[in-house]
Amino acid sequence: MSLTGAMTIDVEDYFQVQAFADVIDRESWERWPRRVEANTEWMLEALAARGVHATFFTLGWVAERHRGLVRRIVAAGHELASHGYGHQLVDRIGPEAFRADLARARAALEDAGGVAVIGYRAPTFSIGPHVPWAWEILEETGHRYTSSLFPVKHDLYGTPDAARVPFRPAGSSLWEIPLTTVHGFGRNWPCAGGGYFRLLPYAAYRGAVRHLHRREGRPQIFYTHPWELDPGQPHIPHARLSARFRHRVNLGRMKTRFAALLEDFAWDRMDRVYADLLDPSRPC
């Protein structure tokens, strides 16, 4: 059994990741050489070569500085979605700052892309049952879905006891579509990309997805970042050794793995893979 999965790209630059937040201040972002446009262009070309459309969860900060890139994403037939404005953790900034961040990001994205933005992914998966107000604000601000909850245990993120399948928080019209996991040996295991995809053998991911299709009959979500295909990016001085390792492990192999991924599975945009859920006529 083979299903069409959701291919998603979190468009942010290497100096904006949470692992380096303790050594790189937001105020210094303008001083770092930006590589996000060239890396995203490579991904656009790889997707086009295989006829794949994806969802690009894009930072508003990036959209303001790379308007042409946002226009090219839309023109190529991809879904433009929000990754917030300044890559701030939702569960730390509070409701009012979150509302402002959403509004600023959506304005930047829609102005650059010329399309409505209905999807959202929280930086570092910082939404979950512990911040129910975040789902309420997303619904109030016109978003129709979020893919922000990762039901795994991790030192930087994760809600291991959360639902593994799409759900409507508190009966709202908003859908939370969790990142993909497989369940075994009494716990959830990540099967959605990111650092685990770079660290583990590619065959492990391929086998896990096939298991998901066969046993659970539901599609997978894959996520990655443009910086994950860029071994030439600058090293970050003073960062913790663990952060440097997780950030850079197997960057040089990612272009080959990404190409294999596009060949081995069928992929499409989030809004089309989950079109039945997002149909506005569907009852709450």
Side-chain angles (χ1 to χ4, degrees):
M1 180 181 185
S2 180
L3 302 172
T4 298
M7 173 60 65
T8 69
I9 315 296
D10 293 358
V11 184
E12 63 194 53
D13 224 326
Y14 64 95
F15 52 82
Q16 298 172 313
V17 301
Q18 184 60 31
F20 298 144
D22 57 340
V23 293
I24 300 179
D25 294 330
R26 281 179 178 79
E27 291 73 20
S28 73
W29 283 0
E30 293 288 4
R31 298 197 295 271
W32 288 87
R34 297 200 294 267
R35 300 173 69 89
V36 65
E37 183 158 356
N39 291 330
T40 305
E41 289 286 4
W42 186 94
M43 302 183 89
L44 286 170
E45 292 175 6
L47 293 167
R50 293 160 181 83
V52 172
H53 293 105
T55 292
F56 285 73
F57 291 102
T58 305
L59 284 182
W61 190 95
V62 171
E64 285 184 346
R65 291 156 179 80
H66 299 276
R67 292 171 57 86
L69 175 64
V70 174
R71 288 194 294 270
R72 290 190 292 277
I73 288 170
V74 173
H78 303 291
E79 180 189 12
L80 182 65
S82 174
H83 197 31
Y85 182 84
H87 210 264
Q88 294 175 284
L89 300 184
V90 176
D91 53 4
R92 293 188 187 177
I93 64 175
E96 292 312 310
F98 178 52
R99 190 186 302 274
D101 182 87
L102 281 179
R104 190 177 182 186
R106 197 171 185 188
L109 292 165
E110 293 186 346
D111 183 56
V115 294
V117 169
I118 66 167
Y120 174 79
R121 173 167 292 155
T124 321
F125 311 112
S126 52
I127 283 182
H130 61 301
V131 284
W133 48 262
W135 286 319
E136 296 171 6
I137 292 172
L138 281 164
E139 182 179 15
E140 291 169 9
T141 52
H143 296 82
R144 289 170 53 194
Y145 78 88
T146 168
S147 183
S148 301
L149 193 156
F150 209 159
V152 297
K153 185 177 182 180
H154 190 280
D155 62 328
L156 293 179
Y157 56 79
T159 312
D161 298 328
R164 297 175 55 241
V165 297
F167 65 94
R168 277 175 161 159
S172 73
S173 62
L174 179 83
W175 282 95
E176 172 64 61
I177 307 175
L179 276 292
T180 304
T181 60
V182 292
H183 189 78
F185 304 102
R187 62 177 293 181
N188 297 332
W189 301 91
C191 181
Y196 293 105
F197 182 76
R198 288 185 281 116
L199 179 63
L200 299 175
Y202 176 73
Y205 176 82
R206 184 175 55 203
V209 170
R210 289 174 176 171
H211 172 86
L212 183 79
H213 289 180
R214 184 175 62 253
R215 295 293 181 87
E216 301 189 32
R218 59 188 181 91
Q220 76 279 14
I221 298 172
F222 182 86
Y223 82 96
T224 189
H225 307 82
W227 58 260
E228 289 192 86
L229 294 89
D230 180 16
Q233 65 189 263
H235 288 263
I236 306 300
H238 312 305
R240 290 173 289 111
L241 179 61
S242 60
R244 295 200 305 269
F245 171 78
R246 284 197 293 204
H247 186 83
R248 299 195 68 94
V249 64
N250 287 334
L251 293 181
R253 299 181 181 180
M254 265 298 288
K255 286 185 176 180
T256 300
R257 289 190 177 192
F258 189 70
L261 193 69
L262 297 180
E263 292 290 344
D264 286 345
F265 298 102
W267 301 98
D268 205 348
R269 304 159 34 144
M270 286 282 294
D271 60 345
R272 293 205 285 244
V273 172
Y274 295 98
D276 59 331
L277 298 183
L278 303 178
D279 183 349
S281 65
R282 185 186 178 105
C284 293

